[in-house]
Amino acid sequence: MAHISSDEVLENVRKASVYYQEIMLQLMQNSSMQIPTSFYDNEKSQEIASKVVEQFFEHPEKFTHINLTYIKELQNLIADSVAKFTGGKSEDPKGQEPFFDKRFKDPAWGQSIYFDFIRKYYMLSADWMKNTVRQYDLDIDGKRFLEFTANQFIDALSPSNFLFSNPEVIRESLESGMSNIAKGMQNFLDDIKKSGGLINISTTDKSSFHIGKNLATTKGKVVFQNELIQLICYKPKEKTHAMPLFILPPWINKYYILDLSENNSMIKFLVDNNFQVFLVSWINPSKKLAHKKFEDYLQEGVIQPLEFIKTLGFDKVNALGYCIGGTLLSIALSYYKSLRHPEHKDRPAARDNNIINSATFLTTLVDFANPGEIGALINKSTIDYIEKQVTEAGYLDGKYLSNSFSLIRANDLVWSYFVNNYLLGKSPAAFDILYWNSDGTNLPATMYIYYLKNMYIDNLLKNPDALEMLGVKINMTNVDVPSFSLAAKSDHIALWQSVYDGVKLFRGDRTFCLTDAGHVAGVVNPPISKKYSHRLSNKIENNSNDWFSNATLHEGSWWNSWREWLVARSGKLQKSMNYKALPMIEEAPGSYVRG
């Protein structure tokens, strides 16, 4: 270890102090960095607090066993730690068991009596709090909010998040003469200045990525555009399958999650496997598009580009929708099917009612009965506040939604970077998925509020004819084309059981696939990575657990199984379209994705 002089230590402490003062000044001057009290200090929060206190005093027996167990386990932990300290033998049966929490990967958490006690005391207290919260009898929204709040509190108080209780941080501070703390303060200040509002912790080295240079580089061109989308046609191989693939990414984020670096680009994978690919690139809307409705996304994001594709000589397409893009695809399928009814025979789009040959849904919710942990933030109690804020701005700022999703996995996406950037004073590594995740997209106010109220909160999409788009009643039981639906086992945004419940609403030939990992890593899983197995079955059981028990386990990426499924529905290989003759607005990735 290099010798650190006292002058160097004092200089680092001085720097940290200066940065700290400027940080506090920034926080006090910028009101947008503060969480509005109206979001949590509302009638629902007061009702939950009242019920919690009432139930605790009315039924103390519900909590007695939990508290007695906690006290007994704490006494055992203290006795065991004292025995270890005095050279005695550990009586803790779990003392030598391995632990796999990434927060405690440093060897000192197990080797040091002090840090071992801190870790176990924290885990013991966390379990006590979770068990206590489970005892309260609340409605669904109340229970989600209480559990979410408790989990945020537990995650924030992890000893790994504090200077004097994290062995790695202490060791780094001693070895560097506190330069890590000075650098961490500087990183914190930089993030505050870059954020301009709600603080965004840097999760990747943004300087390492450039759209069109090392992201979204698959060759293609924009061949059609309107106010909401640019349609990209990718340069095909010499031969392609007769039926092209039309892709609807989520407009909550930018499309290039499907075209990241060369080794994990789904678009490149499809082109290399002889598919003609068309993809929708959504605009990043400003206030001038605040009026755009959900049905505008149907009209401009699906109907118009499909009409254009048809002018190129393709009578049918296979379609893919990811996340909310899949929700829109399911609506489009119902819409087209309803156009077959005689009352709609004179509508221009009626002639295209058979254009979608098959549908692939990636982590798509259609039944929103259980939206997962995000339901703690989006519910009947918070919708008035959300609507007021979004309506005033004209759009939802993409970074707020990104931060909300990060809180669902706070240990991985918030606190791990808090420790790395601010306590260890390091810079985050370059990671393409996290760069994409930080490249937020706004949502038009009218569309967003409609989506929250009618789908997330009232769950009307699953009810036949409860919603209407472009003058047509929407009914999910109309969706009868062959479908391949993917869910991810560790997805916190679209729970796999909820995705499965939506698939049960469809008819026709249905295949359900469950991959490992989460909402993004589970989808972006190229065969070359040899990560994550998947389960597959075309027998849709009434219960998701029954499906899981009967589905076939496959090693490796789900992309391979899906490719086989798609090939069987895409027609024979034939000479590709005359790509060179296509009119071009601009080269891919286009201008909308850069907004």
Side-chain angles (χ1 to χ4, degrees):
M1 181 178 72
H3 175 71
I4 304 294
S5 69
S6 59
D7 288 342
E8 289 177 291
V9 174
L10 290 174
E11 177 60 16
N12 287 326
V13 172
R14 186 195 68 79
K15 287 180 180 178
S17 177
V18 172
Y19 288 135
Y20 174 77
Q21 292 177 40
E22 189 171 353
I23 287 169
M24 296 308 296
L25 185 63
Q26 290 277 346
L27 293 175
M28 288 188 291
Q29 290 179 341
N30 195 336
S31 60
S32 64
M33 292 185 182
Q34 302 167 11
I35 299 175
T37 57
S38 56
F39 192 79
Y40 55 85
D41 185 14
N42 52 44
E43 186 176 330
K44 185 65 176 182
S45 299
Q46 294 168 7
E47 178 188 333
I48 292 171
S50 176
K51 286 186 177 180
V52 164
V53 173
E54 180 182 302
Q55 290 181 29
F56 180 82
F57 286 105
E58 284 188 357
H59 304 284
E61 70 281 358
K62 293 176 66 175
F63 308 94
T64 300
H65 175 70
I66 293 173
N67 291 327
L68 289 177
T69 301
Y70 173 68
I71 292 171
K72 181 179 179 181
E73 290 181 343
L74 181 57
Q75 289 173 337
N76 291 340
L77 174 60
I78 294 172
D80 183 70
S81 297
V82 170
K84 288 179 182 177
F85 186 74
T86 56
K89 184 178 180 181
S90 172
E91 300 295 331
D92 181 6
K94 299 181 180 180
Q96 302 304 316
E97 291 183 3
F99 47 94
F100 302 101
D101 193 319
K102 289 185 288 186
R103 294 173 294 179
F104 307 116
K105 64 180 184 297
D106 191 281
W109 289 109
Q111 296 171 359
S112 164
I113 297 172
Y114 170 71
F115 290 114
D116 182 59
F117 173 81
I118 291 176
R119 174 181 64 86
K120 289 179 178 176
Y121 173 67
Y122 166 73
M123 300 300 289
L124 190 66
S125 300
D127 287 342
W128 166 78
M129 180 172 285
K130 290 177 182 178
N131 290 334
T132 300
V133 166
R134 291 190 190 105
Q135 298 304 307
Y136 291 109
D137 184 18
L138 303 170
D139 60 40
I140 293 177
D141 287 344
K143 198 65 173 283
R144 282 177 183 153
F145 179 80
L146 189 60
E147 289 180 347
F148 178 82
T149 304
N151 286 335
Q152 296 303 309
F153 182 76
I154 290 168
D155 291 345
L157 289 184
S158 170
S160 59
N161 298 335
F162 298 92
L163 168 60
F164 295 109
S165 56
N166 185 321
E168 186 180 6
V169 176
I170 292 174
R171 187 166 56 248
E172 183 67 26
S173 299
L174 293 174
E175 292 177 354
S176 71
M178 299 288 283
S179 68
N180 60 307
I181 301 301
K183 179 60 177 173
M185 288 289 186
Q186 183 182 10
N187 289 343
F188 192 14
L189 181 60
D190 288 344
D191 281 347
I192 290 175
K193 290 180 176 179
K194 285 186 293 186
S195 298
L198 197 63
I199 299 174
N200 285 302
I201 300 177
S202 296
T203 58
T204 188
D205 178 9
K206 291 187 176 182
S207 65
S208 296
F209 299 104
H210 302 279
I211 295 174
K213 292 184 178 180
N214 56 359
L215 294 173
T217 59
T218 304
K219 295 294 183 183
K221 53 189 176 182
V222 175
V223 293
F224 170 83
Q225 73 179 37
N226 54 37
E227 281 193 314
L228 286 180
I229 69 119
Q230 288 187 320
L231 181 68
I232 298 174
C233 175
Y234 288 97
K235 183 179 180 180
K237 295 282 190 180
E238 289 185 7
K239 288 190 175 182
T240 55
H241 292 281
M243 208 169 296
L245 181 66
F246 172 68
I247 298 180
L248 285 169
W251 58 89
I252 289 174
N253 296 96
K254 296 182 178 178
Y255 86 80
Y256 64 88
I257 186 59
L258 300 176
D259 189 25
L260 291 168
S261 50
E262 187 172 321
N263 289 332
N264 59 357
S265 167
M266 178 183 282
I267 303 301
K268 185 178 185 302
F269 171 82
L270 290 164
V271 171
D272 288 347
N273 281 275
N274 302 100
F275 292 98
Q276 175 63 66
V277 180
F278 293 91
L279 177 141
V280 165
S281 174
W282 303 97
I283 198 168
N284 186 10
S286 61
K287 189 172 184 177
K288 71 177 183 179
L289 295 179
H291 63 283
K292 288 293 184 180
K293 303 176 182 177
F294 201 97
E295 62 184 359
D296 291 323
Y297 276 72
L298 173 62
Q299 178 69 48
E300 298 180 46
V302 182
I303 296 172
Q304 289 183 10
L306 284 181
E307 288 175 350
F308 178 83
I309 290 173
K310 198 163 186 178
T311 66
L312 302 179
F314 298 106
D315 293 329
K316 285 184 175 293
V317 303
N318 293 310
L320 178 151
Y322 185 2
C323 189
I324 191 174
T327 305
L328 181 64
L329 175 58
S330 69
I331 291 170
L333 287 164
S334 173
Y335 171 82
Y336 279 130
K337 182 64 179 289
S338 295
L339 288 179
R340 299 179 191 178
H341 194 278
E343 68 177 303
H344 300 301
K345 66 179 181 179
D346 295 327
R347 295 178 62 126
R351 64 181 183 274
D352 293 328
N353 61 58
N354 288 316
I355 192 171
I356 300 179
N357 176 66
S358 76
T360 296
F361 300 97
L362 307 183
T363 62
T364 293
L365 288 177
V366 173
D367 185 340
F368 290 77
N370 185 5
E373 292 179 58
I374 197 68
L377 302 176
I378 301 173
N379 53 58
K380 292 180 180 179
S381 303
T382 62
I383 188 61
D384 289 342
Y385 166 76
I386 294 172
E387 183 172 11
K388 180 177 182 294
Q389 295 298 112
V390 172
T391 301
E392 288 178 359
Y395 60 89
L396 174 74
D397 192 323
K399 67 186 177 186
Y400 287 93
L401 199 59
S402 177
N403 283 346
S404 297
F405 289 141
S406 293
L407 286 176
I408 295 174
R409 295 179 55 210
N411 284 329
D412 291 333
L413 296 178
V414 177
W415 294 113
S416 65
Y417 291 97
F418 177 90
V419 173
N420 180 80
N421 300 3
Y422 306 152
L423 298 185
L424 293 174
K426 298 179 180 179
S427 298
F431 188 22
D432 53 6
I433 289 180
L434 289 178
Y435 176 87
W436 164 85
N437 189 59
S438 66
D439 190 11
T441 305
N442 302 331
L443 302 177
T446 304
M447 182 283 302
Y448 182 59
I449 295 303
Y450 177 91
Y451 175 59
L452 294 190
K453 285 184 174 180
N454 290 281
M455 298 178 199
Y456 258 100
I457 295 177
D458 292 336
N459 194 21
L460 296 180
L461 185 57
K462 73 179 183 65
N463 298 334
D465 301 336
L467 296 179
E468 184 176 298
M469 298 275 177
L470 302 175
V472 174
K473 298 289 186 181
I474 301 302
N475 185 343
M476 287 298 104
T477 63
N478 283 343
V479 179
D480 58 358
V481 299
S483 62
F484 183 106
S485 298
L486 177 83
K489 193 184 298 182
S490 301
D491 193 339
H492 295 272
I493 296 172
L495 303 182
W496 82 263
Q497 294 91 342
S498 297
V499 175
Y500 185 86
D501 287 341
V503 173
K504 291 193 298 182
L505 299 172
F506 302 153
R507 294 185 292 118
D509 177 16
R510 294 163 293 173
T511 298
F512 189 75
C513 180
L514 179 64
T515 183
D516 291 333
H519 193 73
V520 175
V523 173
V524 184
N525 180 31
I528 193 173
S529 68
K530 298 182 180 179
K531 291 169 63 177
Y532 310 132
S533 59
H534 61 282
R535 293 178 182 271
L536 192 70
S537 175
N538 60 5
K539 183 179 180 182
I540 304 303
E541 311 276 2
N542 288 329
N543 184 281
S544 58
N545 291 326
D546 291 338
W547 177 92
F548 186 88
S549 299
N550 296 326
T552 303
L553 179 64
H554 298 267
E555 295 299 325
S557 171
W558 67 272
W559 290 18
N560 289 325
S561 295
W562 175 57
R563 176 183 56 191
E564 293 178 9
W565 183 91
L566 193 59
V567 164
R569 291 159 180 81
S570 298
K572 296 180 180 180
L573 283 175
Q574 60 184 30
K575 186 178 179 180
S576 301
M577 65 184 294
N578 189 353
Y579 175 80
K580 288 184 179 181
L582 280 180
M584 182 180 72
I585 297 174
E586 59 182 318
E587 294 280 355
S591 55
Y592 281 18
V593 74
R594 302 179 192 275

